[in-house]
Amino acid sequence: MPEDQLRAGHIPADVYRQIPPGTDVHRVVIVQEAPRSYKGPIVFTVVIAVGAVTVLLVVAYVVQIIAAAAVAVISASGGVSYTINRRHK
């Protein structure tokens, strides 16, 4: 906190070398940037991943319905029948 720095008179060594001569170091306050929050990018990535999975599931479901409808229409018209045979040993 800036108040704590002011009370302690603490200045990091690399910054101390940049202070002009004659400056009262007890009056210098170093203001630091807040640490970066990664919450936004993580939530964005999760939303994109969930959205992509949802789109793929919807596309797979629609393709399945279209294929089943096509087989039903073709077999009802007498053109082609679709049968799955399993061999028993």
Side-chain angles (χ1 to χ4, degrees), residues 5-85:
Q5 281 185 355
L6 185 60
R7 268 187 247 121
H10 172 72
I11 298 174
D14 58 333
V15 177
Y16 186 77
R17 285 182 285 246
Q18 297 175 6
I19 296 175
T23 304
D24 183 12
V25 291
H26 293 287
R27 295 255 185 225
V28 174
V29 177
I30 309 300
V31 180
Q32 294 180 344
E33 226 178 293
R36 181 180 167 135
S37 170
Y38 291 98
K39 185 170 77 170
I42 290 172
V43 169
F44 182 68
T45 302
V46 169
V47 167
I48 294 294
V50 169
V53 168
T54 303
V55 167
L56 289 175
L57 288 175
V58 168
V59 167
Y61 185 69
V62 168
V63 168
Q64 180 184 3
I65 291 174
I66 291 172
V71 167
V73 167
I74 292 173
S75 63
S77 65
V80 174
S81 63
Y82 181 71
T83 307
I84 297 175
N85 292 324

